[in-house]
């Protein structure tokens, strides 16, 4: 029923916007992004004031450079964005079950899948509005302070970066909803989501370093093909992490000088012209990463969908 689905979406959006949880998470992300913007503006001013200052793709540097005191804009978003998705979805279903309102909602003429779809769509709408607003404000402040308006290609690259960010946070939102369906207690689902976030943020790189030391080819008998196979294997293992997919996609979109994401031989480098890639070529280069983030999001949503449809709903069950 489209009418019932629309009512559920509006109700969930209203609940998110008026909740202290969302306000606190939004404040943390906004403050950190403003701090990174301040350091980026200082670096850009120094570069423009020098004799060799380059004024090409200046606004893109707002998101990618820093003076070293704080991480970059994309670094903050990649690290704190998952917390926003987790915070908005870890109790999406089990809180309704514990309060006894889930059985009351399902007693209405509403399809069961409409409830799950509405919770995801409403949260994704709030996340999209937040990041689009944050991105446009950053672009507007940069234009006013620096005095250089964005080009059309810069605008497309920033919009693409914001869309990739929404997909990335949407994956963590779906993961938290899946744990909310699986576990009855919100604390358990929240800890499970945070454990996955911490694993990919910190421990996965440590595990990869141990694997890299164990399978690295020995120096005396190493050939070029062995080194390439080793680098490709480590690259694909690293891309299991959603943070790696996000980092590669956003860096390529916001840094036009990035022309390749894998290992290159000397024969491939010889004759290459050091020039920025057009927007279309950069988008093609990161299309596998975007597809991977989308696939991870759909897999988590499908699992939560199947689990929710198979569960028995009772009053305070």
């Amino acid at each position: 029923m489209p009418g019932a689905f629309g009512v559920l979406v509006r109700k969930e959006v209203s609940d998110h916007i008026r909740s202290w949880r969302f306000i606190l998470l939004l404040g943390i992300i906004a403050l950190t992004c403003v701090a990174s913007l301040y350091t980026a503006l200082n670096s850009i001013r120094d570069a423009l004031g020098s004799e060799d200052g380059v004024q090409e793709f200046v606004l893109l540097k707002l998101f990618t450079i820093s003076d070293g005191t704080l991480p970059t804009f994309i670094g903050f978003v990649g690290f704190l964005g998952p917390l926003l998705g987790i915070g908005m979805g870890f109790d999406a279903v089990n809180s309704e079950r514990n309060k006894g309102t889930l059985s009351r909602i399902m007693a209405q003429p509403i399809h069961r899948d409409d409830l799950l779809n509405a919770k995801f769509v409403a949260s994704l709408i709030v996340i999209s509005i937040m990041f689009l607003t944050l991105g446009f404000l950053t672009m507007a402040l940069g234009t006013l302070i620096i005095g250089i308006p964005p080009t059309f290609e810069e605008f497309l690259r920033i919009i693409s970066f914001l869309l990739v960010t929404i997909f990335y946070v949407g994956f963590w939102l779906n993961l938290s909803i899946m744990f909310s369906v699986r576990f009855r207690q919100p604390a358990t689902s929240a800890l499970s989501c945070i454990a996955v976030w911490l694993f990919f943020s910190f421990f996965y790189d440590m595990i990869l370093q141990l694997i890299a030391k164990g399978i690295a080819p020995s120096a005396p008998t190493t050939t070029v093909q062995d080194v390439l196979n080793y680098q490709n294997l480590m690259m694909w293992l690293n891309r299991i992490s959603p943070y790696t997919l996000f980092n590669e996609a956003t860096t390529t979109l916001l840094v036009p000088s990035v022309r390749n994401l894998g290992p290159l031989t000397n024969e491939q480098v010889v004759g290459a012209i050091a020039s920025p890639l057009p927007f279309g070529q950069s988008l093609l280069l990161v299309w596998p990463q975007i597809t991977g983030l989308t696939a991870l999001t759909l897999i988590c949503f499908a699992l939560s969908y199947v689990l929710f449809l198979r569960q028995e709903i009772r009053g305070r069950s």
Side-chain angles (χ1 to χ4, degrees):
M1 296 176 62
F5 177 76
V7 171
L8 288 173
V9 170
R10 290 192 293 271
K11 180 257 184 188
E12 293 293 333
V13 170
S14 176
D15 290 344
H16 281 310
I17 294 176
R18 292 183 297 179
S19 66
W20 279 104
R21 180 197 312 168
F22 171 75
I23 295 174
L24 291 175
L25 290 172
L26 176 61
I28 292 173
I29 294 178
L31 287 175
T32 52
C33 290
V34 168
S36 65
L37 175 62
Y38 175 77
T39 59
L41 286 172
N42 289 334
S43 301
I44 292 175
R45 285 174 176 173
D46 295 338
L48 293 177
S50 62
E51 295 180 357
D52 56 347
V54 180
Q55 298 189 11
E56 188 176 9
F57 301 110
V58 174
L59 284 183
L60 295 183
K61 293 181 174 61
L62 293 174
F63 302 90
T64 58
I65 68 171
S66 175
D67 60 359
T69 57
L70 291 173
T72 61
F73 188 97
I74 59 176
F76 270 127
V77 171
F79 183 74
L80 296 177
L83 288 180
L84 178 64
I86 292 172
M88 295 182 66
F90 75 92
D91 61 346
V93 176
N94 48 25
S95 63
E96 301 273 8
R97 187 187 300 275
N98 293 332
K99 291 186 294 186
T101 56
L102 185 60
S103 59
R104 298 178 184 177
I105 296 175
M106 291 294 96
Q108 306 300 319
I110 298 174
H111 295 292
R112 181 180 288 200
D113 55 345
D114 280 345
L115 177 64
L116 199 64
N117 294 338
K119 287 185 176 294
F120 170 68
V121 171
S123 300
L124 195 63
I125 289 174
V126 174
I127 291 171
S128 301
I129 294 174
M130 191 199 75
F131 279 108
L132 288 174
T133 303
L134 192 61
F136 284 136
L137 283 176
T138 302
M139 188 163 44
L141 288 175
T143 302
L144 291 174
I145 296 173
I146 300 174
I148 301 176
T151 63
F152 182 67
E153 182 173 351
E154 284 180 317
F155 180 77
L156 290 179
R157 288 180 178 274
I158 293 173
I159 292 297
S160 300
F161 157 70
L162 295 175
L163 292 177
V164 171
T165 302
I166 292 170
F167 279 117
Y168 174 64
V169 180
F171 160 72
W172 293 101
L173 171 65
N174 262 329
L175 182 68
S176 61
I177 291 177
M178 182 185 70
F179 284 128
S180 175
V181 175
R182 175 62 181 82
F183 300 110
R184 292 182 180 272
Q185 297 300 323
T188 306
S189 58
L191 289 175
S192 301
C193 296
I194 292 175
V196 175
W197 171 64
L198 289 176
F199 173 76
F200 283 114
S201 297
F202 298 102
F203 300 109
Y204 189 68
D205 289 338
M206 301 178 187
I207 295 174
L208 285 184
Q209 291 177 5
L210 295 175
I211 295 175
K213 292 181 179 179
I215 66 174
S218 58
T221 59
T222 299
T223 63
V224 175
Q225 189 61 40
D226 292 335
V227 174
L228 285 177
N229 293 335
Y230 167 74
Q231 293 293 337
N232 285 325
L233 176 60
M234 296 308 302
M235 179 183 65
W236 286 109
L237 288 176
N238 200 24
R239 285 176 178 172
I240 295 176
S241 171
Y243 176 74
T244 301
L245 297 177
F246 169 77
N247 190 46
E248 289 184 347
T250 53
T251 301
T252 304
L253 289 173
L254 294 178
V255 184
S257 59
V258 176
R259 302 178 61 88
N260 190 71
L261 295 175
L264 293 174
T265 61
N266 291 330
E267 290 79 6
Q268 293 173 319
V269 175
V270 170
I273 301 175
S275 61
L277 280 181
F279 169 71
Q281 295 298 317
S282 296
L283 190 61
L284 287 177
L285 186 62
V286 299
W287 192 252
Q289 283 77 4
I290 298 175
T291 305
L293 285 175
T294 306
L296 289 174
T297 304
L298 293 177
I299 289 172
C300 291
F301 183 77
L303 291 175
S304 59
Y305 187 85
V306 172
L307 289 173
F308 186 63
L309 291 183
R310 290 184 176 182
Q311 285 182 350
E312 182 179 4
I313 299 176
R314 296 177 181 177
R316 295 187 179 275
S317 60

